[in-house]
Amino acid sequence: MNNDAFDYDLVVVGGGPAGSTAATLVAMQGHRVLLLEKETFPRYQIGESLLPSTVHGICRLTGVTDELARAAFPVKRGGTFRWGRNPEPWTFAFAISPKFASEGATAYQVERMKFDQILLDNARRKGVTVRERCAVVDVLEDGDRVCGVRFDDEDGIRREVRSRFVVDASGHRSRIHKRIGGDRHYSEFFRNLALFGYFEGGKRLPEPNGGNILAVAFPSGWFWYIPLSDTLTSVGAVLRPEALDRIRDGDREAVLHQLIAECPMIADYLADATRVQSGPYGQVRVRKDYSYIHDTFTRPGMLLVGDAACFIDPVFSSGVHLATFSALLAARCVNTCLAGELDEEAVLAEFEARYRREYGLFHDFLVAFYDMQQDEESYFWTAKRLSEDTVADAVAAFAQLVGGAGSQERALVDARSYVQHRQPAFRQLADVVQEPVAEAGEDRELLGASMLKEVLKEGVRVQTQAALGGNVDEQHPIRPGGLVPSEDGMRWRRPAGSTPSAPTGGTGHAGG
């Protein structure tokens, strides 16, 4: 297929943070980008607590930092937890990391209707053609390669559009993710569901932590408590799947209030609050089966990003980070191929390896974090007991999935050895959480734990690159034969001293 047969260089399916980010970063390189979104923005979405890497890294690269600041979202300086054997709440701050500049040591709690609208409007300003109320129903193929999509337009008319690349950013309910090949696998350890709603008038943590996410363990699971404004709070209970019968058989609101009553700290914070009864925040909602990963994230001409590829438990607010980070990785791949600088096989392998590695780091960290809650009557102990025989078994089994068929990571070759290698880091994290602090309310030095340093490392790199305008600290690949970001962070390149390979053409195998 020659280049004249393509309507666009890239079609992005889905207008959330992953889709708008990928589309913007490709359009900023001068390429023709179409974004198709099935809903009309603003629309409701969960996933309201961000990490610094999204705010000060990805959003700076796409040019929305100042607009986010003007939106006056609550500032999040870290996290506050009632977790582990310590009976008192404890806090960690992003500012403990020496790599975070003072302004980069914070994130936001966001109303996703507002946040996602800001990102999508920015995509339009950067040259992306955005069409809402357009539902993608399938991909177009040329042999083994994806070469566009089939969609129903605003008037319900079936259309086709051809493109050099397709990025599926349409979330966990994606209609086309299976066209990538393989299957979606759910974590046996994080077999969770969430029941959540919104409240007006809830209490706030003492300053300077008033904007922090509060996570509180209780016998049936754990609660998130996220301040979205001075008065509005997102409140959700994360539970075992067995709780679904309790929810199905009863009134959702009544069940949510029963769970709140079982958690004294959350009950106290909501003592004078009322649940929102109308508008987009007026429902009590359920989300289930939301920790999973797909066998593969790519095929020629197509990449999965964000929740279309994988999702992990929300306790450490990784959802939007993984979505926007994977969008950056995907944009680098598309930009590199369109520039004819490297072959498609090499850049897709880099995308796959880095995305799985980031997901795997968060997965291991969260397993270790859950394992600190040792009460044998608690949700956490049940999760561990039901995961074959031990936590190690659950991590080993899922580590194989995270490793992926093409990445040649140690997790795939010897999962048991991988888990044994990680155990000291698991213990170190628990020790940091359990050790006493000098005075009540003092920040716990959680960032002293190697596991948390690992999960924040890539985000810090993106922040550094966005702030300084150049790739200053990633000159070496993460795997043998791997790639590194270009100086501007928008493409991939081979590291200095490596043996170059000739690209197969401006779009990998797209030349046909």
Side-chain angles (χ1 to χ4, degrees), residues 112-125:
R112 285 287 302 277
M113 289 186 294
K114 297 178 181 178
F115 177 73
D116 291 11
Q117 184 76 65
I118 288 171
L119 300 191
L120 191 63
D121 288 344
N122 180 63
R124 288 187 175 97
R125 290 194 298 270

Side-chain angles (χ1 to χ4, degrees), residues 317-333:
S317 310
S318 60
V320 176
H321 163 73
L322 287 172
T324 55
F325 179 69
S326 63
L328 171 62
L329 300 180
R332 288 173 178 169
C333 294

Side-chain angles (χ1 to χ4, degrees), residues 283-408:
Q283 302 178 40
V284 175
R285 302 171 185 264
V286 173
R287 174 91 185 263
K288 62 175 182 173
D289 294 335
Y290 55 70
S291 292
Y292 55 84
I293 190 168
H294 206 80
D295 278 327
T296 182
F297 297 159
T298 65
R299 62 176 285 193
M302 182 176 177
L303 304 89
L304 303 181
V305 299
D307 293 3
C310 56
F311 187 77
I312 194 67
D313 186 272
V315 69
F316 198 66
S317 310
S318 60
V320 176
H321 163 73
L322 287 172
T324 55
F325 179 69
S326 63
L328 171 62
L329 300 180
R332 288 173 178 169
C333 294
V334 175
N335 288 335
T336 303
C337 288
L338 292 176
E341 295 173 345
L342 293 170
D343 66 272
E344 183 176 5
E345 183 177 0
V347 298
L348 294 188
E350 191 67 26
F351 172 85
E352 188 98 23
R354 285 181 180 259
Y355 196 1
R356 288 183 179 279
R357 179 177 181 269
E358 190 76 352
Y359 182 94
L361 290 173
F362 272 94
H363 179 272
D364 289 2
F365 169 76
L366 294 174
V367 169
F369 201 72
Y370 269 46
D371 193 39
M372 290 187 296
Q373 189 70 17
Q374 295 290 335
D375 180 358
E376 293 196 19
E377 300 302 318
S378 75
Y379 154 95
F380 306 93
W381 192 268
T382 301
K384 181 163 59 175
R385 187 170 60 242
L386 292 178
S387 298
E388 299 182 20
D389 296 313
T390 64
V391 171
D393 288 330
V395 180
F398 212 60
Q400 289 184 321
L401 293 172
V402 172
S407 67
Q408 297 183 347

